Amino acid sequence: MDEMTATSVTAVGNSAVSSSTILTNFPLISAFLAFVMAQTIKFFTAWYKERRWDLKQLVGSGGMPSSHSATVTALAAAIGFQEGFGGSVFAIALILACVVMYDATGVRLHAGRQAEVLNQIVYELPAEHPLAESRPLRELLGHTPPQVVAGGLLGIATGSMGHLLMVLTGHA
């Protein structure tokens, strides 16, 4: 009989857990908001620098601040606030954030710089060369260290503000 009672309690406990929805997932919402804020900042930054609206900035990679960094640091911060900064889930999120930010300033930044050089070489080819008509490679792939730091700070601020809002509204 004790085994049956334990199973019933577990079933009731699991149904209560499963009643939460994606719309109440604090880490996911924090990460998404950080991404949207970073892309929006890039959109207006590009307008300020170039004095023209570029809708590609709302979804493109590269630029200030790094939306990749903002997204993963907001996720890690929100998980830390929700689950605790000493837990395994936070450790996973933190390592993921570090890998993403390292990659943004390393491989992706240098791939973008190589694309820039290759585009220049192709541009200087004679018109009759078979590669002269090839599409240019995307150059804005990675981030400079200041762009990654700015994105990381935006992500931490987003996760922190979300946590503060949750505490003030009694949902934490």
Side-chain angles (χ1 to χ4, degrees):
M1 190 65 122
D2 290 332
E3 187 176 323
M4 189 174 188
T5 306
T7 304
S8 299
V9 171
T10 303
V12 170
N14 288 342
S15 68
V17 170
S18 65
S19 69
S20 65
T21 69
I22 199 166
L23 300 175
T24 59
N25 187 321
F26 168 58
L28 182 62
I29 292 168
S30 294
F32 179 74
L33 284 175
F35 174 81
V36 169
M37 288 174 21
Q39 292 300 109
T40 304
I41 291 168
K42 279 194 244 190
F43 178 70
F44 287 106
T45 302
W47 174 84
Y48 180 78
K49 285 172 39 179
E50 300 171 17
R51 294 290 186 223
R52 68 177 181 87
W53 297 109
D54 184 5
L55 293 176
K56 291 179 192 172
Q57 293 294 325
L58 291 174
V59 293
S61 60
M64 174 67 95
S66 165
S67 57
H68 292 88
S69 299
T71 303
V72 293
T73 55
L75 178 67
I79 287 172
F81 285 122
Q82 182 172 302
E83 306 290 330
F85 290 96
S88 299
V89 178
F90 173 72
I92 293 167
L94 180 63
I95 295 302
L96 170 71
C98 291
V99 168
V100 167
M101 293 189 301
Y102 177 80
D103 180 63
T105 58
V107 174
R108 290 178 56 238
L109 177 63
H110 292 289
R113 289 180 178 164
Q114 288 175 355
E116 192 176 333
V117 170
L118 289 171
N119 286 340
Q120 184 63 37
I121 290 169
V122 170
Y123 177 74
E124 293 174 4
L125 289 173
E128 62 274 358
H129 193 282
L131 293 177
E133 296 298 319
S134 46
R135 284 186 323 179
L137 299 170
R138 285 186 53 218
E139 296 177 6
L140 198 55
L141 300 173
H143 294 282
T144 62
Q147 292 169 341
V148 169
V149 169
L153 292 174
L154 175 62
I156 291 169
T158 303
S160 300
M161 293 301 243
H163 177 69
L164 181 62
L165 185 63
M166 298 277 288
V167 168
L168 292 176
T169 60
H171 290 96

